[in-house]
Amino acid sequence: MLSPDVVRALSALAQEHRLAAFRLLVQAGESGIAAGVIAEKLDIPASSMSFHLAQLTNAGLVTQRRESRSIIYSADYA
């Protein structure tokens, strides 16, 4: 991993809600978790969770895929 990528990833994880979401995604494995379920488990409003998940995605820590009407997030182990 290049230094700017490491800084971006660590910056994304330096916020308690994003760190908690990332931990949930790591525990969920490759199957991932729907964004709404993550928000419910962490007791965070969906709009705020969407922002935090976007930050994790932009940092290269998580991936997303659409399944029907849900967006499923997974930890990017690469």
Side-chain angles (χ1 to χ4, degrees):
M1 213 174 198
L2 299 174
S3 185
D5 296 334
V6 172
V7 170
R8 189 171 52 243
L10 291 174
S11 294
L13 293 173
Q15 201 281 341
E16 67 178 299
H17 296 308
R18 289 193 287 265
L19 180 59
F22 186 69
R23 285 180 173 164
L24 277 177
L25 293 171
V26 168
Q27 292 170 354
E30 293 180 9
S31 59
I33 306 174
V37 174
I38 298 170
E40 286 177 20
K41 286 187 176 201
L42 298 179
D43 195 29
I44 300 171
S47 59
S48 296
M49 192 73 258
S50 177
F51 171 78
H52 292 306
L53 290 169
Q55 296 297 314
L56 292 170
T57 301
N58 289 337
L61 296 171
V62 301
T63 59
Q64 63 182 9
R65 68 182 185 281
R66 181 169 290 281
E67 285 185 8
S68 185
R69 294 179 50 162
S70 298
I71 298 178
I72 308 298
Y73 288 87
S74 303
D76 187 351
Y77 296 102

